Amino acid sequence: MTITTQPAVRFGLRLLRGPTGAVLIMAATFVLAALTFFAINGRESISLFQEMVMGAFGDGYSFSETLVKTAPILLTALAVALPARLGLISVGGEGQLYLGALFGTGAVLAAVDQPGWLLMPLMLMGAMAGGALWGVIPGLLKTRLGVNETISTLLLNYVGVLLVSFVVHGPWKNPNSLGWPATIEFPQGAILPQFFDTRVHMGLIFGVVAAIMLHILVTRSRWGLGLQVSRSNPRVGATAGISYERNVLIVMAIGGLLAGLAGIAEASVIQNRLQDGLASGYGMTGFLVAWLAGQHFLRIIPLSVLMGGLLASADSLQLYAQLPKASADILQALLFIIVLAVASLWPNRPKA
Amino acid sequence: MEIQLYNITKRFGEVTANDGISLDIREGEVIALLGENGAGKSTLMKMLFGLYTPDEGSILVNGRETLIDSPQKAMSLGIGMVFQQFNLVPALSVLDNLLLAYPRPPFWTFRRLFGEGASQQNVLAYLEELAPGLDPNTLVRDLSVGQRQLLELVKVLNLNAKVLILDEPTSVLPPQEAERLWGLIRKMAEAGRSIVLITHKMQDVMACAHRVVVMRAGKMVQALTRENCSEASLVSLMMGDSSQRSDIDTHRDPDLAGKPPRISLRGLHANHGVQSIDNISLDIGPGEILGIAGVSGNGQHLLADALVGLVPLSRGEVIIDGVVLQSASRAPKTSDRVAYIPEQPAVNAVAGDLSLTVNVALSHFRQLRFFPAWGPEEEKTRDIIRRYQVRPDNPALGAGQLSGGNLQKLVVGRELEGPRDLIVAAYPTMGLDAGAAHDIYQALFTKAREGAAVLWISEDLDDLMSYAHRIAVLQGGRISGLFNPDQFDRLDIGRAMTGEHLPTADPAPAEPQARIAS
């Protein structure tokens, strides 16, 4: 009697051949790669890895810091995944995030004397408008002029980052900041609500709610069906009365709007002001997460938490092992490559 | 060179494409392989050309049994084939295309440095013979279909072919160019070559064949010499006793015939890409099947797209029952009352990775609720699958998993569901076998009798002449002729297709002044 005839073993093997197996192999490969990376750097691999996990999820404080980093990753990942459902490859999360921060801050500065009940909605609407604008521009370029959206979103990232840099060095610079390039501190009415005395803020709630809503809309609604048809065959979509052009603008606008919310949350809660280096690459991390999740809105949520943990633990790597902060980027890149490589080897691969 | 096919059988799954076929090909002789689409003519010849290998039977070349397992092998034996689909590079010149197809093409031609090379003389010899006036530096994309076909022929001749297989060579040619080709075929036979002409057209047979081999449903029905056959006898041999053509009822309901037109096209102009249509004015009555003939690429697709609302008009308007449907003064829009059955449904009519149910629901996408209820949609799909005998019959399958014929049946079922004012069918049976084509015509014309107007674009003049109530010819984006059944004449229509004369039958339309319903 061979071992495979036992029902439990057979069930296990069948599970391994499916997506579950793929995920297990991905995780194992990643742990192995991370351990190797630490060993190459001459560190105690296992204990360092433990430290990393603890640094991300070990106690209430570290988990809250993980969630703080989760929020912008989640929102920018959604900003990538939604256009991807129409077959668009947007890498513009970063620029949309900056534009959201820029417009949101603009609203705060313009209405700085208003009470919180007015200031807060104005700030959020400004942020959404800014992000949406940075999504609609590549959308219009694509539908009107046929410009590749990947290139235009990529380039607009630089424009967005530098626009923020310009205002904080120039017109919006706080005169009392002793030359430090930043705006004035946000008034209390413009600080997003936080939870349990931590830095975890409303942005996370926005992200989770948006992910669930998008999932329902895209998989169940007529509009979502239109996206699927347009993606599969735009000509047939047009015959059925589905406008590919309009859908491009809609998904780019909604995506940009979400990334814009991430931007204003960072400025309002984390920095309390608009300044350079606002987002430290969250837009790009969001892009990776969206692709790791196979553009699946619900899968994006746990993956964003994991990635947030990875970034949060980078701080503990610095403290405990004196590894440079770039280690987190290296681990992130390793994870991405491993997931894509394993997924492509798997027979019934999870869609990525 | 003599070739004998002996007792050849070829099966594809459960379908027997060729069933015990024996055939002699003799030197200096033109053989016409005559049969409907799907009769197995091309399959047989593809075995001779090494694209398929027979399941049973053998091929004898000069009396010796020979295994032809690749086109290279066939060409080395002196067997060449010209396909329906041209295999040319449009962006390159005639000369470059010929050089590319030459055995062991020169790696580096140095054409511009050293002028005419010796190899070019070889390559161009047949071209000068077949098409004396053609400049070898012309780009292929600037050639007419007929010239391209000659080029394909030259490519095969350059390979020293003794046996030439031509697959439906006249199907893309206007009658005048077809006549020229017949002359060439006769000349090549006189020069000692053997020619196998795959065709379903009587004219080809009568014009140049020495012998006719009639095939039907994978079997050889009869071999005759041309002297011993008449067109009528060939037709009955080809179609079998129950000619499928005759059992489609295309009669117009006489009550409908007297009614005013349902659809009026008034001076349509549109441009899209390289195609344009120019001042198209037509009326189609209720229940009328208006055929649009023409060599492909003369604006047919643009006309269909403009009617359906995929492409904007630059002038003119489309009026349905007195209401403006499309007009140059506003953005084009699609309508649920207009059915569209394009060719190649996999590309033009369905989203391949979505289910059959979703694809059926597309025809009434606007009426779906915001969160669609899929139960009734699936029921509707099952109903269409049942009535149109779509296989496989699982509505959850991806549309891309169906064959072209089954997919087109599904599309026809979808498009003819519910009330329709206008049915636009653009080459709806292209690439389908006779059985599927028959079902599709039947469904289409049955729907027409309910009162819809049908605009039917085809490049098969025989089909058009047997089914359409009127034929309009499109040439260079204009209507170059409008024919009533008593005027149906191959040559007249052919002349209109080539633009030889522009009849004045179609007067310039009055300035459009339609009532725009609110």
Side-chain angles (χ1 to χ4, degrees), chain A residues 220-222 232-233 235 238 240, chain B residues 305 340 347 350 353 368 370 372:
Chain A
R220 299 261 177 272
S221 80
R222 189 182 61 204
S232 170
N233 192 335
R235 185 182 152 83
Chain B
D305 284 357
Y340 185 29
V347 182
V350 298
D353 51 354
L368 294 177
F370 189 71

Side-chain angles (χ1 to χ4, degrees), chain B residues 187-305:
Chain B
K187 234 170 81 184
M188 289 189 291
E190 277 159 30
R193 292 195 174 79
S194 326
I195 286 140
V196 182
L197 191 62
I198 302 175
T199 184
H200 65 269
K201 294 184 172 176
M202 296 311 135
Q203 294 78 9
D204 292 348
V205 177
M206 290 312 178
C208 58
H210 298 114
R211 270 196 305 149
V212 192
V213 173
V214 183
M215 289 184 68
R216 191 173 71 230
K219 291 197 175 68
M220 199 176 106
V221 183
Q222 203 160 3
L224 307 151
T225 56
R226 190 187 46 194
E227 290 73 35
N228 295 335
C229 61
S230 67
E231 279 199 35
S233 65
L234 287 178
V235 170
S236 66
L237 281 173
M238 195 165 108
M239 308 273 184
D241 293 329
S242 60
S243 169
Q244 283 183 320
R245 267 207 175 124
S246 60
D247 78 324
I248 295 179
D249 185 2
T250 61
H251 282 105
R252 247 182 114 181
D253 190 332
D255 292 347
L256 293 173
K259 295 241 174 85
R262 293 205 71 178
I263 314 292
S264 296
L265 320 186
R266 305 250 179 102
L268 301 190
H269 289 72
N271 291 289
H272 192 70
V274 292
Q275 286 206 349
S276 68
I277 51 173
D278 206 2
N279 200 15
I280 297 212
S281 295
L282 289 168
D283 286 331
I284 314 176
E288 185 182 22
I289 301 160
L290 175 71
I292 302 279
V295 178
S296 62
N298 274 290
Q300 290 96 325
H301 283 114
L302 186 56
L303 175 62
D305 284 357

Side-chain angles (χ1 to χ4, degrees), chain A residues 200-219:
Chain A
V200 180
H201 53 76
M202 277 302 284
L204 187 65
I205 308 293
F206 290 151
V208 173
V209 171
I212 294 170
M213 277 175 48
L214 284 178
H215 178 74
I216 294 172
L217 279 176
V218 167
T219 57

Side-chain angles (χ1 to χ4, degrees), chain A residues 82-169:
Chain A
L82 181 60
R85 288 303 189 93
L86 192 55
L88 302 174
I89 300 178
S90 161
V91 288
E94 190 89 356
Q96 292 158 359
L97 182 149
Y98 271 82
L99 256 280
L102 180 75
F103 274 52
T105 306
V108 171
L109 294 180
V112 73
D113 301 325
Q114 303 298 323
W117 63 264
L118 186 60
L119 186 54
M120 182 79 69
L122 279 178
M123 175 183 84
L124 291 177
M125 284 194 300
M128 293 194 282
L133 176 71
W134 237 229
V136 166
I137 291 173
L140 280 173
L141 285 173
K142 179 172 182 74
T143 54
R144 293 291 150 90
L145 303 172
V147 177
N148 180 305
E149 77 281 2
T150 312
I151 308 289
S152 58
T153 49
L154 180 71
L155 295 178
L156 279 175
N157 283 343
Y158 297 103
V159 180
V161 172
L162 291 173
L163 272 179
V164 167
S165 192
F166 166 71
V167 297
V168 299
H169 281 91

Side-chain angles (χ1 to χ4, degrees), chain A residues 64 67-68 192-206 269:
Chain A
S64 81
L67 290 183
V68 167
L192 283 179
Q194 290 148 255
F195 308 111
F196 312 117
D197 265 347
T198 64
R199 301 204 292 164
V200 180
H201 53 76
M202 277 302 284
L204 187 65
I205 308 293
F206 290 151
V269 179

